[in-house]
Amino acid sequence: MSIRRPESGPEKAVADWWRTDIIDMKPGEISYYGYPIESLIGNVSFTQMIWLMTQGELPSPEKAKLLDAALMSAVDHGPQAPSIAIARMASTCGVGLNNAMASAVNVLGDVHGGAGEQAVTFYQMVNEIAVSKSLSIEEAVIEGLAKQRELHGKFIPGFGHRFHPVDPRAPRLMELVAEAKADGIVEGRFHSIALQVEKQLLKEKGKAIPMNIDGATAVIYGELGIPAELARGLFCLSRSVGILAHAWEQTQQGGRNKGPIPRDLLWTYDGHPKRDMKNKD
């Protein structure tokens, strides 16, 4: 919250405790980046508001459409996704929706939830190689893949999927980017890089390693100029919708203390054989 700052004195010190460009407020008035809330309500979509809050300006309708597609496409991937499973399990423990959602969002880390950010970073590295060395996209992708593996191992973020032979979300997202590129809405640089990565992986592996949703949404975030770290935050925002839906559904279904595995499928114990306290010495 931004308080109007006095020029000097104790009141100025209090006013400067928090500083923000996001919101200005006084009794009876609220504005975001200078836009009065009453002018935004009914005229700006939730996606446009997300853009305004994170970027400081309102997007064009065309760019908002791309961001909206990225956000809505990643809302849910079923209870086999750890975050969704945790939301449902937490709900059976008797906590409220906010606690279930927080529990789930807190596991969106580097392994589950971080691939989109990592893919943006990877694309940016390829682009930087192409620009700094005056290489073609094809040449830069070859060098970028080698660098990615050197830094992070064989996993290439944004490509391949453990469940889907072809992730049904990715091709449609790429179609939307291609349309935006044809209309001059985005440059298409990251679109070209991602497609070339697919081609190069096919050439190297001898089989297709299709782009997944993380790779496709990373294209959108890259084309829109969204920083890689913020891309993960946007994914968390997107997935929280599915988390809410599953937590709410599980709450309505009821059930108590439903653990991560059925009770008849217990874990494997690899510890010490059964022993007697009398023989502890």
PDB file of all heavy atoms in Angstrom, residues 44-82:
ATOM      1  N   VAL A  44     -11.746  -4.545 -17.425  1.00  0.00           N
ATOM      2  CA  VAL A  44     -10.471  -5.265 -17.488  1.00  0.00           C
ATOM      3  C   VAL A  44     -10.701  -6.688 -16.985  1.00  0.00           C
ATOM      4  O   VAL A  44     -11.316  -6.895 -15.934  1.00  0.00           O
ATOM      5  CB  VAL A  44      -9.404  -4.550 -16.621  1.00  0.00           C
ATOM      6  CG1 VAL A  44      -8.155  -5.401 -16.484  1.00  0.00           C
ATOM      7  CG2 VAL A  44      -9.056  -3.200 -17.235  1.00  0.00           C
ATOM      8  N   SER A  45     -10.217  -7.667 -17.743  1.00  0.00           N
ATOM      9  CA  SER A  45     -10.366  -9.066 -17.348  1.00  0.00           C
ATOM     10  C   SER A  45      -9.379  -9.412 -16.241  1.00  0.00           C
ATOM     11  O   SER A  45      -8.427  -8.659 -15.968  1.00  0.00           O
ATOM     12  CB  SER A  45     -10.129  -9.984 -18.546  1.00  0.00           C
ATOM     13  OG  SER A  45      -8.752  -9.964 -18.909  1.00  0.00           O
ATOM     14  N   PHE A  46      -9.569 -10.571 -15.628  1.00  0.00           N
ATOM     15  CA  PHE A  46      -8.648 -11.031 -14.592  1.00  0.00           C
ATOM     16  C   PHE A  46      -7.240 -11.195 -15.157  1.00  0.00           C
ATOM     17  O   PHE A  46      -6.251 -10.816 -14.528  1.00  0.00           O
ATOM     18  CB  PHE A  46      -9.152 -12.341 -13.994  1.00  0.00           C
ATOM     19  CG  PHE A  46      -8.366 -12.836 -12.814  1.00  0.00           C
ATOM     20  CD1 PHE A  46      -8.009 -11.993 -11.788  1.00  0.00           C
ATOM     21  CD2 PHE A  46      -7.979 -14.169 -12.738  1.00  0.00           C
ATOM     22  CE1 PHE A  46      -7.286 -12.450 -10.696  1.00  0.00           C
ATOM     23  CE2 PHE A  46      -7.257 -14.647 -11.654  1.00  0.00           C
ATOM     24  CZ  PHE A  46      -6.902 -13.779 -10.627  1.00  0.00           C
ATOM     25  N   THR A  47      -7.139 -11.751 -16.362  1.00  0.00           N
ATOM     26  CA  THR A  47      -5.822 -11.926 -16.988  1.00  0.00           C
ATOM     27  C   THR A  47      -5.159 -10.575 -17.241  1.00  0.00           C
ATOM     28  O   THR A  47      -3.955 -10.409 -17.000  1.00  0.00           O
ATOM     29  CB  THR A  47      -5.952 -12.702 -18.309  1.00  0.00           C
ATOM     30  OG1 THR A  47      -6.438 -14.018 -18.039  1.00  0.00           O
ATOM     31  CG2 THR A  47      -4.602 -12.819 -19.016  1.00  0.00           C
ATOM     32  N   GLN A  48      -5.912  -9.610 -17.728  1.00  0.00           N
ATOM     33  CA  GLN A  48      -5.352  -8.276 -17.934  1.00  0.00           C
ATOM     34  C   GLN A  48      -4.908  -7.654 -16.615  1.00  0.00           C
ATOM     35  O   GLN A  48      -3.895  -6.954 -16.557  1.00  0.00           O
ATOM     36  CB  GLN A  48      -6.385  -7.373 -18.614  1.00  0.00           C
ATOM     37  CG  GLN A  48      -6.657  -7.727 -20.066  1.00  0.00           C
ATOM     38  CD  GLN A  48      -7.809  -6.920 -20.645  1.00  0.00           C
ATOM     39  OE1 GLN A  48      -8.907  -6.879 -20.086  1.00  0.00           O
ATOM     40  NE2 GLN A  48      -7.557  -6.262 -21.766  1.00  0.00           N
ATOM     41  N   MET A  49      -5.661  -7.946 -15.563  1.00  0.00           N
ATOM     42  CA  MET A  49      -5.293  -7.415 -14.249  1.00  0.00           C
ATOM     43  C   MET A  49      -4.018  -8.062 -13.740  1.00  0.00           C
ATOM     44  O   MET A  49      -3.176  -7.397 -13.130  1.00  0.00           O
ATOM     45  CB  MET A  49      -6.441  -7.650 -13.261  1.00  0.00           C
ATOM     46  CG  MET A  49      -6.313  -6.841 -11.976  1.00  0.00           C
ATOM     47  SD  MET A  49      -6.422  -5.066 -12.329  1.00  0.00           S
ATOM     48  CE  MET A  49      -6.081  -4.395 -10.689  1.00  0.00           C
ATOM     49  N   ILE A  50      -3.849  -9.354 -13.998  1.00  0.00           N
ATOM     50  CA  ILE A  50      -2.603 -10.029 -13.631  1.00  0.00           C
ATOM     51  C   ILE A  50      -1.421  -9.356 -14.329  1.00  0.00           C
ATOM     52  O   ILE A  50      -0.374  -9.096 -13.726  1.00  0.00           O
ATOM     53  CB  ILE A  50      -2.673 -11.521 -14.000  1.00  0.00           C
ATOM     54  CG1 ILE A  50      -3.688 -12.248 -13.112  1.00  0.00           C
ATOM     55  CG2 ILE A  50      -1.295 -12.185 -13.883  1.00  0.00           C
ATOM     56  CD1 ILE A  50      -4.021 -13.647 -13.570  1.00  0.00           C
ATOM     57  N   TRP A  51      -1.593  -9.069 -15.613  1.00  0.00           N
ATOM     58  CA  TRP A  51      -0.531  -8.394 -16.379  1.00  0.00           C
ATOM     59  C   TRP A  51      -0.233  -7.020 -15.776  1.00  0.00           C
ATOM     60  O   TRP A  51       0.925  -6.662 -15.559  1.00  0.00           O
ATOM     61  CB  TRP A  51      -0.967  -8.250 -17.843  1.00  0.00           C
ATOM     62  CG  TRP A  51       0.101  -7.711 -18.745  1.00  0.00           C
ATOM     63  CD1 TRP A  51       0.731  -6.502 -18.660  1.00  0.00           C
ATOM     64  CD2 TRP A  51       0.676  -8.364 -19.887  1.00  0.00           C
ATOM     65  NE1 TRP A  51       1.635  -6.346 -19.668  1.00  0.00           N
ATOM     66  CE2 TRP A  51       1.629  -7.479 -20.441  1.00  0.00           C
ATOM     67  CE3 TRP A  51       0.447  -9.591 -20.501  1.00  0.00           C
ATOM     68  CZ2 TRP A  51       2.361  -7.785 -21.579  1.00  0.00           C
ATOM     69  CZ3 TRP A  51       1.186  -9.902 -21.631  1.00  0.00           C
ATOM     70  CH2 TRP A  51       2.128  -9.009 -22.161  1.00  0.00           C
ATOM     71  N   LEU A  52      -1.286  -6.250 -15.505  1.00  0.00           N
ATOM     72  CA  LEU A  52      -1.102  -4.920 -14.930  1.00  0.00           C
ATOM     73  C   LEU A  52      -0.364  -5.003 -13.601  1.00  0.00           C
ATOM     74  O   LEU A  52       0.581  -4.234 -13.358  1.00  0.00           O
ATOM     75  CB  LEU A  52      -2.460  -4.238 -14.734  1.00  0.00           C
ATOM     76  CG  LEU A  52      -2.442  -2.884 -14.011  1.00  0.00           C
ATOM     77  CD1 LEU A  52      -1.662  -1.847 -14.823  1.00  0.00           C
ATOM     78  CD2 LEU A  52      -3.865  -2.392 -13.753  1.00  0.00           C
ATOM     79  N   MET A  53      -0.765  -5.923 -12.749  1.00  0.00           N
ATOM     80  CA  MET A  53      -0.170  -6.019 -11.424  1.00  0.00           C
ATOM     81  C   MET A  53       1.292  -6.457 -11.464  1.00  0.00           C
ATOM     82  O   MET A  53       2.082  -6.084 -10.600  1.00  0.00           O
ATOM     83  CB  MET A  53      -0.976  -6.997 -10.561  1.00  0.00           C
ATOM     84  CG  MET A  53      -2.376  -6.513 -10.227  1.00  0.00           C
ATOM     85  SD  MET A  53      -2.397  -5.046  -9.169  1.00  0.00           S
ATOM     86  CE  MET A  53      -1.988  -5.773  -7.585  1.00  0.00           C
ATOM     87  N   THR A  54       1.666  -7.259 -12.455  1.00  0.00           N
ATOM     88  CA  THR A  54       3.043  -7.769 -12.518  1.00  0.00           C
ATOM     89  C   THR A  54       3.940  -6.980 -13.465  1.00  0.00           C
ATOM     90  O   THR A  54       5.164  -7.034 -13.345  1.00  0.00           O
ATOM     91  CB  THR A  54       3.062  -9.253 -12.941  1.00  0.00           C
ATOM     92  OG1 THR A  54       2.390  -9.408 -14.199  1.00  0.00           O
ATOM     93  CG2 THR A  54       2.368 -10.113 -11.893  1.00  0.00           C
ATOM     94  N   GLN A  55       3.332  -6.261 -14.424  1.00  0.00           N
ATOM     95  CA  GLN A  55       4.123  -5.556 -15.427  1.00  0.00           C
ATOM     96  C   GLN A  55       4.009  -4.027 -15.329  1.00  0.00           C
ATOM     97  O   GLN A  55       4.831  -3.308 -15.879  1.00  0.00           O
ATOM     98  CB  GLN A  55       3.682  -5.983 -16.840  1.00  0.00           C
ATOM     99  CG  GLN A  55       3.738  -7.474 -17.094  1.00  0.00           C
ATOM    100  CD  GLN A  55       5.158  -7.986 -17.173  1.00  0.00           C
ATOM    101  OE1 GLN A  55       6.062  -7.279 -17.608  1.00  0.00           O
ATOM    102  NE2 GLN A  55       5.380  -9.218 -16.766  1.00  0.00           N
ATOM    103  N   GLY A  56       2.958  -3.544 -14.678  1.00  0.00           N
ATOM    104  CA  GLY A  56       2.815  -2.102 -14.494  1.00  0.00           C
ATOM    105  C   GLY A  56       2.045  -1.382 -15.579  1.00  0.00           C
ATOM    106  O   GLY A  56       1.809  -0.179 -15.481  1.00  0.00           O
ATOM    107  N   GLU A  57       1.675  -2.095 -16.635  1.00  0.00           N
ATOM    108  CA  GLU A  57       0.897  -1.525 -17.735  1.00  0.00           C
ATOM    109  C   GLU A  57      -0.173  -2.517 -18.153  1.00  0.00           C
ATOM    110  O   GLU A  57      -0.035  -3.723 -17.937  1.00  0.00           O
ATOM    111  CB  GLU A  57       1.791  -1.203 -18.941  1.00  0.00           C
ATOM    112  CG  GLU A  57       2.878  -0.178 -18.681  1.00  0.00           C
ATOM    113  CD  GLU A  57       2.343   1.234 -18.467  1.00  0.00           C
ATOM    114  OE1 GLU A  57       1.157   1.474 -18.807  1.00  0.00           O
ATOM    115  OE2 GLU A  57       3.097   2.076 -17.963  1.00  0.00           O
ATOM    116  N   LEU A  58      -1.221  -2.023 -18.770  1.00  0.00           N
ATOM    117  CA  LEU A  58      -2.245  -2.912 -19.314  1.00  0.00           C
ATOM    118  C   LEU A  58      -1.770  -3.479 -20.647  1.00  0.00           C
ATOM    119  O   LEU A  58      -1.167  -2.756 -21.448  1.00  0.00           O
ATOM    120  CB  LEU A  58      -3.562  -2.158 -19.511  1.00  0.00           C
ATOM    121  CG  LEU A  58      -4.362  -1.874 -18.238  1.00  0.00           C
ATOM    122  CD1 LEU A  58      -5.492  -0.889 -18.522  1.00  0.00           C
ATOM    123  CD2 LEU A  58      -4.911  -3.169 -17.647  1.00  0.00           C
ATOM    124  N   PRO A  59      -2.019  -4.755 -20.912  1.00  0.00           N
ATOM    125  CA  PRO A  59      -1.588  -5.360 -22.180  1.00  0.00           C
ATOM    126  C   PRO A  59      -2.575  -5.064 -23.293  1.00  0.00           C
ATOM    127  O   PRO A  59      -3.730  -4.685 -23.040  1.00  0.00           O
ATOM    128  CB  PRO A  59      -1.589  -6.852 -21.846  1.00  0.00           C
ATOM    129  CG  PRO A  59      -2.746  -6.989 -20.892  1.00  0.00           C
ATOM    130  CD  PRO A  59      -2.722  -5.733 -20.053  1.00  0.00           C
ATOM    131  N   SER A  60      -2.123  -5.265 -24.507  1.00  0.00           N
ATOM    132  CA  SER A  60      -3.062  -5.226 -25.630  1.00  0.00           C
ATOM    133  C   SER A  60      -3.976  -6.442 -25.530  1.00  0.00           C
ATOM    134  O   SER A  60      -3.600  -7.458 -24.927  1.00  0.00           O
ATOM    135  CB  SER A  60      -2.312  -5.264 -26.959  1.00  0.00           C
ATOM    136  OG  SER A  60      -1.683  -6.532 -27.134  1.00  0.00           O
ATOM    137  N   PRO A  61      -5.169  -6.391 -26.094  1.00  0.00           N
ATOM    138  CA  PRO A  61      -6.059  -7.562 -26.054  1.00  0.00           C
ATOM    139  C   PRO A  61      -5.418  -8.806 -26.647  1.00  0.00           C
ATOM    140  O   PRO A  61      -5.636  -9.923 -26.149  1.00  0.00           O
ATOM    141  CB  PRO A  61      -7.264  -7.107 -26.876  1.00  0.00           C
ATOM    142  CG  PRO A  61      -7.265  -5.618 -26.775  1.00  0.00           C
ATOM    143  CD  PRO A  61      -5.816  -5.234 -26.732  1.00  0.00           C
ATOM    144  N   GLU A  62      -4.603  -8.630 -27.675  1.00  0.00           N
ATOM    145  CA  GLU A  62      -3.976  -9.777 -28.336  1.00  0.00           C
ATOM    146  C   GLU A  62      -2.945 -10.442 -27.425  1.00  0.00           C
ATOM    147  O   GLU A  62      -2.866 -11.671 -27.347  1.00  0.00           O
ATOM    148  CB  GLU A  62      -3.319  -9.337 -29.642  1.00  0.00           C
ATOM    149  CG  GLU A  62      -4.287  -8.826 -30.695  1.00  0.00           C
ATOM    150  CD  GLU A  62      -4.677  -7.374 -30.490  1.00  0.00           C
ATOM    151  OE1 GLU A  62      -4.109  -6.708 -29.578  1.00  0.00           O
ATOM    152  OE2 GLU A  62      -5.559  -6.891 -31.226  1.00  0.00           O
ATOM    153  N   LYS A  63      -2.147  -9.634 -26.732  1.00  0.00           N
ATOM    154  CA  LYS A  63      -1.158 -10.208 -25.819  1.00  0.00           C
ATOM    155  C   LYS A  63      -1.838 -10.807 -24.590  1.00  0.00           C
ATOM    156  O   LYS A  63      -1.404 -11.841 -24.072  1.00  0.00           O
ATOM    157  CB  LYS A  63      -0.130  -9.155 -25.420  1.00  0.00           C
ATOM    158  CG  LYS A  63       0.813  -8.785 -26.564  1.00  0.00           C
ATOM    159  CD  LYS A  63       1.933  -7.869 -26.109  1.00  0.00           C
ATOM    160  CE  LYS A  63       2.919  -7.620 -27.251  1.00  0.00           C
ATOM    161  NZ  LYS A  63       4.047  -6.763 -26.838  1.00  0.00           N
ATOM    162  N   ALA A  64      -2.910 -10.178 -24.145  1.00  0.00           N
ATOM    163  CA  ALA A  64      -3.664 -10.733 -23.029  1.00  0.00           C
ATOM    164  C   ALA A  64      -4.245 -12.093 -23.392  1.00  0.00           C
ATOM    165  O   ALA A  64      -4.312 -12.996 -22.551  1.00  0.00           O
ATOM    166  CB  ALA A  64      -4.781  -9.776 -22.621  1.00  0.00           C
ATOM    167  N   LYS A  65      -4.633 -12.259 -24.645  1.00  0.00           N
ATOM    168  CA  LYS A  65      -5.175 -13.547 -25.106  1.00  0.00           C
ATOM    169  C   LYS A  65      -4.125 -14.644 -24.996  1.00  0.00           C
ATOM    170  O   LYS A  65      -4.425 -15.770 -24.574  1.00  0.00           O
ATOM    171  CB  LYS A  65      -5.653 -13.424 -26.551  1.00  0.00           C
ATOM    172  CG  LYS A  65      -6.210 -14.720 -27.137  1.00  0.00           C
ATOM    173  CD  LYS A  65      -6.626 -14.547 -28.592  1.00  0.00           C
ATOM    174  CE  LYS A  65      -7.107 -15.870 -29.190  1.00  0.00           C
ATOM    175  NZ  LYS A  65      -7.482 -15.717 -30.628  1.00  0.00           N
ATOM    176  N   LEU A  66      -2.883 -14.331 -25.349  1.00  0.00           N
ATOM    177  CA  LEU A  66      -1.811 -15.324 -25.239  1.00  0.00           C
ATOM    178  C   LEU A  66      -1.538 -15.686 -23.788  1.00  0.00           C
ATOM    179  O   LEU A  66      -1.390 -16.862 -23.444  1.00  0.00           O
ATOM    180  CB  LEU A  66      -0.532 -14.790 -25.880  1.00  0.00           C
ATOM    181  CG  LEU A  66      -0.357 -14.953 -27.383  1.00  0.00           C
ATOM    182  CD1 LEU A  66       0.989 -14.391 -27.816  1.00  0.00           C
ATOM    183  CD2 LEU A  66      -0.487 -16.403 -27.804  1.00  0.00           C
ATOM    184  N   LEU A  67      -1.456 -14.668 -22.931  1.00  0.00           N
ATOM    185  CA  LEU A  67      -1.225 -14.944 -21.516  1.00  0.00           C
ATOM    186  C   LEU A  67      -2.376 -15.755 -20.940  1.00  0.00           C
ATOM    187  O   LEU A  67      -2.160 -16.700 -20.177  1.00  0.00           O
ATOM    188  CB  LEU A  67      -1.060 -13.639 -20.738  1.00  0.00           C
ATOM    189  CG  LEU A  67      -0.872 -13.785 -19.224  1.00  0.00           C
ATOM    190  CD1 LEU A  67       0.359 -14.632 -18.907  1.00  0.00           C
ATOM    191  CD2 LEU A  67      -0.780 -12.430 -18.553  1.00  0.00           C
ATOM    192  N   ASP A  68      -3.597 -15.417 -21.328  1.00  0.00           N
ATOM    193  CA  ASP A  68      -4.767 -16.138 -20.849  1.00  0.00           C
ATOM    194  C   ASP A  68      -4.694 -17.614 -21.239  1.00  0.00           C
ATOM    195  O   ASP A  68      -5.005 -18.500 -20.434  1.00  0.00           O
ATOM    196  CB  ASP A  68      -6.037 -15.505 -21.422  1.00  0.00           C
ATOM    197  CG  ASP A  68      -7.294 -16.083 -20.801  1.00  0.00           C
ATOM    198  OD1 ASP A  68      -7.549 -15.807 -19.618  1.00  0.00           O
ATOM    199  OD2 ASP A  68      -8.029 -16.807 -21.502  1.00  0.00           O
ATOM    200  N   ALA A  69      -4.263 -17.886 -22.468  1.00  0.00           N
ATOM    201  CA  ALA A  69      -4.144 -19.275 -22.935  1.00  0.00           C
ATOM    202  C   ALA A  69      -3.119 -20.034 -22.111  1.00  0.00           C
ATOM    203  O   ALA A  69      -3.333 -21.201 -21.739  1.00  0.00           O
ATOM    204  CB  ALA A  69      -3.773 -19.299 -24.414  1.00  0.00           C
ATOM    205  N   ALA A  70      -1.984 -19.394 -21.820  1.00  0.00           N
ATOM    206  CA  ALA A  70      -0.954 -20.058 -21.014  1.00  0.00           C
ATOM    207  C   ALA A  70      -1.460 -20.355 -19.612  1.00  0.00           C
ATOM    208  O   ALA A  70      -1.241 -21.451 -19.079  1.00  0.00           O
ATOM    209  CB  ALA A  70       0.296 -19.183 -20.943  1.00  0.00           C
ATOM    210  N   LEU A  71      -2.166 -19.406 -19.017  1.00  0.00           N
ATOM    211  CA  LEU A  71      -2.656 -19.579 -17.658  1.00  0.00           C
ATOM    212  C   LEU A  71      -3.728 -20.659 -17.579  1.00  0.00           C
ATOM    213  O   LEU A  71      -3.699 -21.521 -16.691  1.00  0.00           O
ATOM    214  CB  LEU A  71      -3.197 -18.253 -17.118  1.00  0.00           C
ATOM    215  CG  LEU A  71      -2.170 -17.151 -16.854  1.00  0.00           C
ATOM    216  CD1 LEU A  71      -2.870 -15.852 -16.484  1.00  0.00           C
ATOM    217  CD2 LEU A  71      -1.198 -17.559 -15.762  1.00  0.00           C
ATOM    218  N   MET A  72      -4.686 -20.618 -18.507  1.00  0.00           N
ATOM    219  CA  MET A  72      -5.799 -21.573 -18.406  1.00  0.00           C
ATOM    220  C   MET A  72      -5.381 -22.990 -18.763  1.00  0.00           C
ATOM    221  O   MET A  72      -5.932 -23.956 -18.266  1.00  0.00           O
ATOM    222  CB  MET A  72      -7.002 -21.130 -19.247  1.00  0.00           C
ATOM    223  CG  MET A  72      -6.836 -21.152 -20.760  1.00  0.00           C
ATOM    224  SD  MET A  72      -6.936 -22.767 -21.575  1.00  0.00           S
ATOM    225  CE  MET A  72      -8.458 -23.399 -20.903  1.00  0.00           C
ATOM    226  N   SER A  73      -4.362 -23.139 -19.601  1.00  0.00           N
ATOM    227  CA  SER A  73      -3.967 -24.474 -20.058  1.00  0.00           C
ATOM    228  C   SER A  73      -3.285 -25.292 -18.971  1.00  0.00           C
ATOM    229  O   SER A  73      -3.205 -26.519 -19.061  1.00  0.00           O
ATOM    230  CB  SER A  73      -3.041 -24.363 -21.274  1.00  0.00           C
ATOM    231  OG  SER A  73      -1.815 -23.738 -20.914  1.00  0.00           O
ATOM    232  N   ALA A  74      -2.775 -24.638 -17.941  1.00  0.00           N
ATOM    233  CA  ALA A  74      -1.973 -25.333 -16.925  1.00  0.00           C
ATOM    234  C   ALA A  74      -2.688 -25.471 -15.587  1.00  0.00           C
ATOM    235  O   ALA A  74      -2.061 -25.823 -14.589  1.00  0.00           O
ATOM    236  CB  ALA A  74      -0.653 -24.592 -16.724  1.00  0.00           C
ATOM    237  N   VAL A  75      -4.013 -25.256 -15.555  1.00  0.00           N
ATOM    238  CA  VAL A  75      -4.687 -25.207 -14.262  1.00  0.00           C
ATOM    239  C   VAL A  75      -4.690 -26.543 -13.522  1.00  0.00           C
ATOM    240  O   VAL A  75      -4.704 -26.580 -12.292  1.00  0.00           O
ATOM    241  CB  VAL A  75      -6.142 -24.686 -14.387  1.00  0.00           C
ATOM    242  CG1 VAL A  75      -6.163 -23.242 -14.856  1.00  0.00           C
ATOM    243  CG2 VAL A  75      -6.971 -25.572 -15.314  1.00  0.00           C
ATOM    244  N   ASP A  76      -4.668 -27.658 -14.253  1.00  0.00           N
ATOM    245  CA  ASP A  76      -4.849 -28.943 -13.573  1.00  0.00           C
ATOM    246  C   ASP A  76      -4.194 -30.055 -14.381  1.00  0.00           C
ATOM    247  O   ASP A  76      -4.135 -29.997 -15.606  1.00  0.00           O
ATOM    248  CB  ASP A  76      -6.360 -29.217 -13.416  1.00  0.00           C
ATOM    249  CG  ASP A  76      -6.653 -30.458 -12.584  1.00  0.00           C
ATOM    250  OD1 ASP A  76      -5.764 -30.905 -11.831  1.00  0.00           O
ATOM    251  OD2 ASP A  76      -7.780 -30.974 -12.684  1.00  0.00           O
ATOM    252  N   HIS A  77      -3.695 -31.064 -13.666  1.00  0.00           N
ATOM    253  CA  HIS A  77      -3.203 -32.264 -14.331  1.00  0.00           C
ATOM    254  C   HIS A  77      -3.538 -33.512 -13.530  1.00  0.00           C
ATOM    255  O   HIS A  77      -2.830 -34.517 -13.575  1.00  0.00           O
ATOM    256  CB  HIS A  77      -1.700 -32.161 -14.596  1.00  0.00           C
ATOM    257  CG  HIS A  77      -1.235 -33.080 -15.678  1.00  0.00           C
ATOM    258  ND1 HIS A  77      -0.191 -33.965 -15.511  1.00  0.00           N
ATOM    259  CD2 HIS A  77      -1.688 -33.286 -16.940  1.00  0.00           C
ATOM    260  CE1 HIS A  77      -0.011 -34.657 -16.626  1.00  0.00           C
ATOM    261  NE2 HIS A  77      -0.908 -34.270 -17.503  1.00  0.00           N
ATOM    262  N   GLY A  78      -4.625 -33.420 -12.757  1.00  0.00           N
ATOM    263  CA  GLY A  78      -5.137 -34.588 -12.066  1.00  0.00           C
ATOM    264  C   GLY A  78      -4.413 -34.941 -10.785  1.00  0.00           C
ATOM    265  O   GLY A  78      -3.311 -34.442 -10.511  1.00  0.00           O
ATOM    266  N   PRO A  79      -4.996 -35.842  -9.975  1.00  0.00           N
ATOM    267  CA  PRO A  79      -4.398 -36.236  -8.694  1.00  0.00           C
ATOM    268  C   PRO A  79      -3.066 -36.960  -8.811  1.00  0.00           C
ATOM    269  O   PRO A  79      -2.413 -37.192  -7.796  1.00  0.00           O
ATOM    270  CB  PRO A  79      -5.469 -37.145  -8.071  1.00  0.00           C
ATOM    271  CG  PRO A  79      -6.743 -36.729  -8.721  1.00  0.00           C
ATOM    272  CD  PRO A  79      -6.369 -36.362 -10.126  1.00  0.00           C
ATOM    273  N   GLN A  80      -2.660 -37.352 -10.027  1.00  0.00           N
ATOM    274  CA  GLN A  80      -1.322 -37.928 -10.156  1.00  0.00           C
ATOM    275  C   GLN A  80      -0.236 -36.854 -10.063  1.00  0.00           C
ATOM    276  O   GLN A  80       0.929 -37.167  -9.879  1.00  0.00           O
ATOM    277  CB  GLN A  80      -1.206 -38.701 -11.475  1.00  0.00           C
ATOM    278  CG  GLN A  80      -1.437 -37.892 -12.729  1.00  0.00           C
ATOM    279  CD  GLN A  80      -0.177 -37.250 -13.264  1.00  0.00           C
ATOM    280  OE1 GLN A  80       0.895 -37.835 -13.217  1.00  0.00           O
ATOM    281  NE2 GLN A  80      -0.307 -36.030 -13.781  1.00  0.00           N
ATOM    282  N   ALA A  81      -0.630 -35.580 -10.165  1.00  0.00           N
ATOM    283  CA  ALA A  81       0.309 -34.482  -9.945  1.00  0.00           C
ATOM    284  C   ALA A  81       0.434 -34.243  -8.441  1.00  0.00           C
ATOM    285  O   ALA A  81      -0.582 -34.147  -7.743  1.00  0.00           O
ATOM    286  CB  ALA A  81      -0.188 -33.218 -10.641  1.00  0.00           C
ATOM    287  N   PRO A  82       1.649 -34.175  -7.904  1.00  0.00           N
ATOM    288  CA  PRO A  82       1.806 -34.053  -6.449  1.00  0.00           C
ATOM    289  C   PRO A  82       1.015 -32.911  -5.825  1.00  0.00           C
ATOM    290  O   PRO A  82       0.411 -33.080  -4.767  1.00  0.00           O
ATOM    291  CB  PRO A  82       3.321 -33.834  -6.292  1.00  0.00           C
ATOM    292  CG  PRO A  82       3.921 -34.524  -7.468  1.00  0.00           C
ATOM    293  CD  PRO A  82       2.951 -34.289  -8.594  1.00  0.00           C
TER     294      PRO A  82
END
